[in-house]
Amino acid sequence: MCGIVGYNFNNAALLDEMLQTIHYRGPDDKGVYANDSISLGHVRLSILDLSSHGHQPMEFENLVLIYNGEIYNFKEIRKELEKYGYSFISNSDSEVLLKAFHKWGKECVEKLRGMFAFALYDKAHQKITLCRDRVGVKPLYYYFDGKDFVFASELRALRKYKKFPIDKVALAQFFAYGYITHDRSIFEGVKKLLPAHFLEFDLKNKKLTLQNYWKYEDYFKIAAKSEEEIIDELEEVLTEGIKYRMVSDVDVGVFLSGGVDSSLVSAILQKHYGNIHTFTIGFKEQKYNEALYAKKVANHIQSNHTEYILGINEAKEILLEKFHEIYDEPFGDSSGIPTFLVSRIAKENGVKVVLSADGGDELFCGYERYWWSYHLGKKLQKIPAHKIFAKALHACKPCLSKIPIKNIEHKLEFLQELFQADSWAQIYDAILKNYREDMRCLGLVPPSNISKDAFAFGEQIHPMQGMMLWDFYNYLPNDILVKVDRATMINSIEGREPLLDNKIIEYSATISFDLKYRNGQSKYILKKVLERYLPKELIYRKKMGFGIPMFEWFRSDLAALFERYFYEDEIIDMEYPRALLQSFKEGRYVNVNKLWFVLVYKMWKERYY
């Protein structure tokens, strides 16, 4: 895994500064390429072909490549290229990608199975082509002001180019969802290259064009097959995708939570390779602790298992000293703390590549909020003229807020927005948000609903499929994959996502919805595959998720952090958060996520702005 930077002018000092900010993404090597019209930089974490032959930037005829990622099927593509007369001096996937682009142009991405973000400079046509993988496993940001075009793997590198103002729309997204979604970043004018997109920049005319090259929705063609046939085929495509992630010249481990997805990945790998190393983080607070289940799975498959219990003092240390070094824009997912720690433990155990089983929830209907939202929405639809209730709630809110019910104000805000909903998309959006209309108390405008087209497509199949597509295009790339990429990279190890192999994703679209969720059972078909590897008592249990005991911790030692950071702010109005904090200190129930998001924002701002 690596880091890349570049821009359309020559400035050697800036290039070095930008690379230095992301050196941990590639501590094994550094390289640059520059002329009067282009500067490209690369830092390398050596995973395939550990020799100097894998050095980047890599040149071939008129093309120069810098690349972050792994192409797992590079050997097959290499054999195909050799038939066309191409020869190779390395055993790296980088050289295969470079020559595949030389042969097929942008169409080469149709052949790639992997995770990638790359920039390719065409000297003959004076163009830069950026590309990001289908799901967005690998990050890539860019900025263009009509003159300067600058890009990098992480925002911290772009800040060496100049200081950007905060994007208030992006900040509102963060306070609503806990992450910044779609193509925005926290900095005004700086954008993410969306997953499954090309960006082409013409160096002569200074014109930028974007192109989408893949869509999940295109594969929703339900196959007429028996359940047993689908189980067989799904196991086959899962096994192939998971085995591809073992392509490496260094040791590989697996993050094991004991849930369905990580247990399946671990079990398949253990069957085919044996002696795999699994890693788990647990908590002393038992209702958050999945380590017990992970240990049972590890014992059953006989993996080499490492368990670590995270306590409040270590979590506090990570939050204060590491969290905002890891995440260079506001990031509200508190599970980033244990994800960082389990990555560090893997590194300490000599592992340079780890597999993280993300994506199963979005592909196979795993989150509890899907069926909870669906049943709530069905009840809402039975209420005639439900928008009248929203107006009544708004009028009565001052009185109702005094009722001694846990988190009453947040629940009233939720009900008010829910009763105003006209569609499944609005219902789901209301359920996802933390700050809603009360965001106006911060001086921000609540963000509009996102990914309506994808939701509408999925809703034709089932409302829960719409929710799954919403998460596939929003929550997955902007929260889950950001978390894993940054937490692994800061430890200079590579995180791989086997369940997000494009063939697995595309096959999941051919499975009817009633095989994903059946009779109250989530991930029905995935669990049927897992039954071939684990006893049922290790499979059929309540889903826990990978969170931390935030409320319990903030009631004690971490509460002082709020006091430390809840000072005046020139971007948001702090009166409302301080009122929430006062209620919290008085022992009243409040939505602790609202306090957490403000804390995260303030800590980030102190470090980066």
Side-chain angles (χ1 to χ4, degrees):
M1 204 54 57
C2 309
I4 63 174
V5 303
Y7 40 80
N8 65 331
F9 50 89
N10 193 340
N11 184 328
L14 175 62
L15 197 63
D16 189 62
E17 286 182 35
M18 291 177 72
L19 287 172
Q20 186 59 34
T21 65
I22 57 170
H23 68 93
Y24 53 83
R25 295 188 71 94
D28 298 329
D29 191 19
K30 182 173 80 170
V32 299
Y33 173 94
N35 60 32
D36 289 341
S37 59
I38 188 77
S39 297
L40 303 173
H42 183 269
V43 288
R44 182 187 181 202
L45 179 66
S46 302
I47 302 296
L48 295 171
D49 191 345
L50 309 185
S51 75
S52 60
H53 291 306
H55 177 80
Q56 295 182 47
M58 186 176 285
E59 297 184 56
F60 179 69
E61 294 189 359
N62 62 307
L63 301 178
V64 184
L65 172 72
I66 50 174
Y67 153 61
N68 169 29
E70 299 290 347
I71 308 301
Y72 304 115
N73 63 333
F74 77 98
K75 291 181 180 178
E76 293 97 311
I77 299 171
R78 174 174 172 152
K79 288 180 181 178
E80 188 176 355
L81 287 166
E82 286 173 339
K83 292 178 182 178
Y84 287 103
Y86 287 86
S87 60
F88 295 84
I89 62 170
S90 76
N91 292 314
S92 72
D93 57 336
S94 306
E95 187 179 4
V96 172
L97 174 58
L98 176 60
K99 291 175 180 176
F101 197 97
H102 182 271
K103 172 61 181 173
W104 295 296
K106 290 189 290 188
E107 286 72 26
C108 74
V109 296
E110 297 173 10
K111 299 177 180 290
L112 306 182
R113 292 180 71 170
M115 53 182 183
F116 47 86
F118 66 80
L120 203 141
Y121 169 47
D122 185 333
K123 291 181 277 187
H125 298 94
Q126 284 298 292
K127 290 182 179 179
I128 305 172
T129 300
L130 306 187
C131 182
R132 197 168 173 211
D133 64 69
R134 295 169 181 86
V135 190
V137 179
K138 292 292 101 184
L140 192 54
Y141 297 85
Y142 68 94
Y143 170 78
F144 179 51
D145 63 2
K147 178 186 175 185
D148 290 351
F149 174 66
V150 190
F151 64 89
S153 293
E154 295 188 24
L155 286 172
R156 71 187 79 224
L158 284 166
R159 287 195 74 253
K160 290 296 180 180
Y161 164 72
K162 77 171 194 177
K163 183 176 180 179
F164 300 94
I166 287 176
D167 184 333
K168 288 190 176 181
V169 175
L171 188 59
Q173 290 177 353
F174 165 72
F175 280 115
Y177 305 111
Y179 56 88
I180 295 166
T181 191
H182 200 55
D183 66 345
R184 290 185 181 273
S185 80
I186 190 60
F187 295 126
E188 195 173 289
V190 178
K191 295 186 176 183
K192 307 182 194 86
L193 180 60
L194 288 173
H197 274 71
F198 284 110
L199 182 155
E200 192 170 83
F201 183 73
D202 189 313
L203 288 161
K204 291 180 180 178
N205 299 322
K206 289 185 167 49
K207 288 187 177 180
L208 182 153
T209 57
L210 295 167
Q211 177 191 347
N212 180 215
Y213 67 82
W214 180 91
K215 288 181 72 175
Y216 185 22
E217 298 95 301
D218 291 343
Y219 296 88
F220 277 82
K221 300 175 179 67
I222 305 304
K225 297 175 182 177
S226 70
E227 181 177 316
E228 198 62 29
E229 284 178 307
I230 292 172
I231 294 171
D232 289 341
E233 290 179 358
L234 179 57
E235 182 182 20
E236 183 179 343
V237 73
L238 284 167
T239 300
E240 182 184 59
I242 292 168
K243 287 172 72 175
Y244 261 129
R245 270 65 187 174
M246 294 298 285
V247 175
S248 173
D249 293 332
V250 296
D251 290 339
V252 179
V254 185
F255 292 157
L256 175 62
S257 69
V260 171
D261 302 336
S262 64
S263 297
L264 184 57
V265 170
S266 300
I268 289 175
L269 284 179
Q270 184 69 0
K271 175 183 176 180
H272 290 278
Y273 294 94
N275 198 36
I276 66 165
H277 202 151
T278 52
F279 300 92
T280 297
I281 292 293
F283 304 98
K284 293 177 182 177
E285 293 81 1
Q286 287 306 304
K287 70 177 181 178
Y288 295 92
N289 187 29
E290 280 196 297
L292 175 65
Y293 301 109
K295 184 178 289 186
K296 288 181 178 180
V297 172
N299 288 340
H300 184 82
I301 66 174
Q302 297 184 314
S303 66
N304 180 11
H305 190 59
T306 299
E307 175 188 300
Y308 190 90
I309 301 300
L310 174 62
I312 184 172
N313 290 331
E314 192 163 13
K316 184 177 180 180
E317 179 184 339
I318 293 170
L319 178 60
L320 289 173
E321 298 180 9
K322 282 289 184 181
F323 198 76
H324 290 92
E325 179 185 347
I326 302 166
Y327 303 104
D328 56 359
E329 67 179 347
F331 186 71
D333 189 340
S334 60
S335 68
I337 294 173
T339 304
F340 162 77
L341 184 58
V342 74
S343 300
R344 187 171 73 185
I345 291 165
K347 175 70 176 293
E348 290 170 352
N349 279 269
V351 168
K352 206 170 182 180
V353 173
V354 288
L355 274 57
S356 181
D358 300 306
D361 293 303
E362 292 81 1
L363 300 182
F364 296 98
C365 197
Y367 294 125
E368 286 187 6
R369 63 175 177 261
Y370 294 150
W371 50 96
W372 187 77
S373 301
Y374 176 65
H375 292 304
L376 189 62
K378 293 293 284 185
K379 291 178 181 178
L380 180 67
Q381 291 172 353
K382 294 178 181 178
I383 300 174
H386 53 79
K387 286 193 174 183
I388 296 174
F389 284 87
K391 293 180 180 179
L393 276 174
H394 180 72
C396 299
K397 188 176 177 181
C399 295
L400 293 172
S401 297
K402 297 177 182 179
I403 299 174
I405 295 176
K406 179 179 177 180
N407 217 357
I408 181 64
E409 291 185 0
H410 180 71
K411 289 175 179 176
L412 289 172
E413 292 161 8
F414 165 62
L415 286 173
Q416 184 178 334
E417 186 163 342
L418 188 66
F419 282 132
Q420 290 174 329
D422 286 322
S423 66
W424 282 106
Q426 290 179 358
I427 290 170
Y428 190 55
D429 195 46
I431 287 167
L432 291 175
K433 286 178 179 174
N434 286 278
Y435 281 89
R436 298 185 175 89
E437 278 300 310
D438 58 341
M439 191 182 296
R440 298 185 189 279
C441 297
L442 302 177
L444 299 172
V445 178
S448 59
N449 194 268
I450 303 159
S451 297
K452 291 181 180 178
D453 292 344
F455 200 109
F457 176 89
E459 187 182 340
Q460 295 174 33
I461 300 168
H462 192 283
M464 284 195 278
Q465 184 65 68
M467 300 170 199
M468 292 157 65
L469 281 170
W470 198 102
D471 282 347
F472 182 84
Y473 285 113
N474 292 283
Y475 179 61
L476 180 63
N478 298 307
D479 184 309
I480 299 296
L481 298 181
V482 168
K483 175 180 67 179
V484 175
D485 175 80
R486 304 304 193 276
T488 52
M489 285 280 86
I490 201 76
N491 286 289
S492 298
I493 64 174
E494 176 177 296
R496 295 180 175 180
E497 305 284 356
L499 297 185
L500 293 176
D501 183 275
N502 62 294
K503 297 300 181 183
I504 295 175
I505 296 170
E506 291 160 10
Y507 186 80
S508 75
T510 70
I511 301 173
S512 64
F513 181 79
D514 74 320
L515 288 176
K516 298 172 183 175
Y517 184 81
R518 175 175 286 186
N519 299 327
Q521 190 62 248
S522 64
K523 295 183 184 174
Y524 172 83
I525 198 72
L526 209 58
K527 289 174 180 176
K528 287 297 179 183
V529 176
L530 188 54
E531 283 181 16
R532 297 179 173 183
Y533 297 86
L534 295 180
K536 290 184 178 181
E537 60 267 23
L538 295 182
I539 301 171
Y540 295 95
R541 62 176 181 84
K542 184 177 175 60
K543 182 179 176 67
M544 292 181 69
F546 192 39
I548 66 172
M550 187 192 311
F551 190 82
E552 290 85 344
W553 288 355
F554 281 0
R555 277 288 181 203
S556 53
D557 291 5
L558 292 179
L561 283 174
F562 292 134
E563 293 285 358
R564 175 177 166 185
Y565 283 97
F566 275 39
Y567 50 81
E568 286 300 318
D569 189 272
E570 71 273 19
I571 306 294
I572 65 170
D573 188 334
M574 289 297 295
E575 183 178 351
Y576 179 61
R578 281 200 290 258
L580 287 176
L581 178 58
Q582 185 59 36
S583 296
F584 180 77
K585 288 163 60 179
E586 292 171 358
R588 296 175 59 192
Y589 285 102
V590 300
N591 181 357
V592 73
N593 272 336
K594 292 184 177 182
L595 296 174
W596 167 252
F597 288 175
V598 173
L599 176 64
V600 165
Y601 159 71
K602 295 287 282 185
M603 292 179 73
W604 167 84
K605 190 162 173 278
E606 183 180 272
R607 181 180 179 91
Y608 287 103
Y609 195 71

